[in-house]
Every structure is written in structure tokens, then in C-alpha cells.
Amino acid sequence: MSGSDPGLYGPDSVTWNCHGDPMMWIAGVRALYLQALHPRAVRGVMANSDFRQDAWGRLLRTADFVGTVTYGTAEAAERAGARVRRIHRSLTAADPATGETFRIDDPELLLWVHCGQIDSFLHVLRRSGVPLSDEQADRYVAENRTSARLVGLDPATVPGSTAELAAYFETVRPQLAAGADTRVVDAFLRRPPVPWPLRPVRALMWRPVAALAYGSLPAEAHHLYGRPAPAPRSVTRRLRLTGLVLRLIPARLRWQLPPGHILRAMARMGPGSRPSPYTVRRGTAILVGPGRAQHDNGGGSTTWRSWRKPD
């Protein structure tokens, strides 16, 4: 029914039309690599979850949250946000450098996780060939202040354009490091434990995904991880090829995961709500926040372009 609840974004939004792309899974892994570079944020994960035993579950739960917030009804999205806030309110961890106890719902940590996720989603989607204009990229960042609100942030404090996102990363850069917890995440993502019969599958399918997600990180992130950065143009070619191949898989098959969010949204809203970045490409871009996006077709990181390795 076309008059049904469109949720918090709706079919006319950039977010609705882009979050159904299969490259979101690679973007999600990139976000994990990126988020692990904040010592407090990664300590909070290690201290309050069985990351090494249930990393797949964690990734799927994150995908389920994104799917619910993007394609669910307004009530379902608000309920998902309330659940996340309730869980975070009860959790603390100890700073790995000072031993100071901090809350997991510290706004600074929530903002880092949000920005790392949005940067990764936007970067991988555009670099793999999703045809977003600069204005639409800005609109995407602004729209996702909604998801920031759901996890407990004041939207007014959250970047609303790619320029503001770049400024945020420049501000937070001195706090980032690759400590012991980061090394654990890195080791896991490079070689996750699986039953021995599945090890060939890990080598064939997972390692290329993790390598591509890692390769798409900004140069300074490679420097912190201590591994050479692959050639940007090579990474861009692989992202575009991977996107091309994955997009050949029938959408209705791909959209079974996370469990049916898009298919249920289309059943609720009608066939005109089918997500497609080409739909938003045809629409008029609306700048919700100030600033202009900058897209580097050569594959360099847009938002983190100002990062430089220390002399």
C-alpha cells in the first residue's frame, strides 16, 4: 500500500536508495577496521562483548539495525534505537592508557562510531560505482543524523555534510592509535577462526573481502595499522569490479539479508519504493546541511584526504 508508513527515511531519500546495495557489506567491514583505531571505542567493544567468539553475530546485528532503521516503520526504528540506548546505558569500560572508567554511551564515542560508519558506507558506495552527485553525498550525510539520534546523539552535534565530516576526522585524528585491542580486531578480521572444513571457504571468500575493505581505508589508517597501503587505483578497480559482480546477483535474492527488511518495505509501500541509486540520481538534490562533497575518482579517500603520515 503506497500510503503506508515510509519510516524515518522514505523512498525519496538517498539513504533508502543506497542501503540496498551489496557493497554495504564490504563497507561494514571497513567501518570495523576504522572504528578499531579509537582506543576507547575498541576497548569498550572488547570489554563488553564476546567479539572473538561472536563477531559474525555482531556484524549481522549491526546490519539488522541499519536495515530496520532504513526500511522499517517509524515505530520499529524508534524501538530499535531505544534498545541500543538501553544496552549502552548499562555498560562501562576502563581506558587502556589511564585506567579511568568511562561510559559506553559517552557522546564522543558514539560520534566516532557513527562517523566511521557513515564515512565507510559513503566512501565504498561511491568508489565502487554508485552514481551519487556531490550534493547527494552531502544529503546522505545529513540524512543520517537520524540514525545518530537513535543511538543517543544530539543531531545538532553530528556532521551534516561531507565537509563537516572531514573536519570531524581532522579534529579526532590525534586521539587515534593502534594498540593491543586494535591488533586483536585486525588479526580477527584478517583470519577469523572457523571450523577446519570451512577454512578453504575462508581463504576463497572472506580474505578478499577483508583485504578489499582494509585497502579502501585512508592512508593514515594504513600507517597506524603498520602495513603498506595498496595502490589507490588498484583498490578502486577492485571495488568497481566487485560491485559490478555483486550487483549481477538478483536483488530479491540479495535482499534476503538482513532478514527481509527491503522486501517487507516494498510490500508495505508498493513497487515504486524499490531501492535504486539510479532513482535518486534522477531526482533533484536537496542540500540539508552546509558544505559540498568532494569525490576523488582516483580512489583516494575523500573525507580523510588531509591526513598525512608524520614526518
Side-chain angles (χ1 to χ4, degrees):
M1 295 177 60
S2 60
S4 296
D5 182 354
L8 299 182
Y9 291 92
D12 293 332
S13 68
V14 179
T15 301
W16 180 288
N17 284 288
C18 288
H19 278 187
D21 191 89
M23 292 299 286
M24 286 285 288
W25 290 98
I26 291 176
V29 178
R30 181 192 191 265
L32 293 177
Y33 271 118
L34 188 54
Q35 291 161 350
L37 290 172
H38 192 295
R40 281 199 172 193
V42 70
R43 175 89 300 254
V45 171
M46 302 302 290
N48 290 285
S49 71
D50 51 354
F51 175 82
R52 281 165 285 193
Q53 286 71 43
D54 189 34
W56 307 119
R58 181 181 177 84
L59 185 60
L60 287 173
R61 286 190 295 274
T62 299
D64 183 60
F65 177 79
V66 173
T68 299
V69 170
T70 306
Y71 299 109
T73 63
E75 180 184 0
E78 296 290 352
R79 189 166 56 244
R83 183 167 59 250
V84 168
R85 296 194 303 273
R86 183 172 62 252
I87 292 171
H88 286 172
R89 274 197 302 267
S90 64
L91 301 178
T92 61
D95 187 292
T98 66
E100 174 191 0
T101 299
F102 61 89
R103 294 170 57 101
I104 299 303
D105 62 357
D106 181 336
E108 290 187 11
L109 299 185
L110 296 178
L111 184 59
W112 167 252
V113 171
H114 170 80
C115 290
Q117 188 176 76
I118 296 306
D119 178 76
S120 293
F121 291 172
L122 183 59
H123 182 85
V124 169
L125 288 171
R126 297 190 84 193
R127 197 170 171 186
S128 66
V130 172
L132 293 180
S133 69
D134 293 344
E135 291 85 356
Q136 288 159 346
D138 279 329
R139 182 177 168 189
Y140 175 81
V141 176
E143 286 174 355
N144 279 280
R145 283 173 160 171
T146 295
S147 63
R149 174 184 65 79
L150 290 176
V151 299
L153 286 164
D154 176 358
T157 67
V158 177
S161 69
T162 53
E164 291 178 7
L165 196 58
Y168 166 77
F169 281 121
E170 185 63 23
T171 298
V172 79
R173 177 168 60 93
Q175 303 175 37
L176 304 183
D181 290 332
T182 307
R183 302 296 179 193
V184 170
V185 174
D186 184 26
F188 178 90
L189 291 175
R190 295 175 71 186
R191 192 181 178 87
V194 295
W196 69 266
L198 295 179
R199 289 176 184 172
V201 177
R202 177 181 66 186
L204 180 65
M205 299 183 66
W206 175 255
R207 287 183 183 174
V209 168
L212 190 53
Y214 176 82
S216 67
L217 290 168
E220 180 67 9
H222 293 296
H223 175 72
L224 291 173
Y225 272 108
R227 301 204 300 276
R233 292 189 181 275
S234 173
V235 174
T236 299
R237 284 194 297 270
R238 286 188 287 142
L239 282 167
R240 288 184 175 270
L241 177 60
T242 302
L244 178 64
V245 171
L246 290 180
R247 291 165 192 142
L248 291 175
I249 302 172
R252 284 189 173 270
L253 179 60
R254 292 191 274 106
W255 291 341
Q256 297 297 325
L257 289 174
H261 290 301
I262 296 175
L263 298 179
R264 287 199 300 273
M266 290 173 60
R268 187 176 80 244
M269 298 295 298
S273 63
R274 179 185 177 92
S276 169
Y278 295 94
T279 299
V280 74
R281 182 70 171 177
R282 290 194 299 268
T284 301
I286 301 174
L287 279 175
V288 183
R292 294 275 299 179
Q294 300 174 14
H295 182 41
D296 181 0
N297 291 322
S301 174
T302 298
T303 337
W304 297 40
R305 188 177 297 169
S306 59
W307 279 39
R308 295 183 177 87
K309 294 183 181 181
D311 296 329

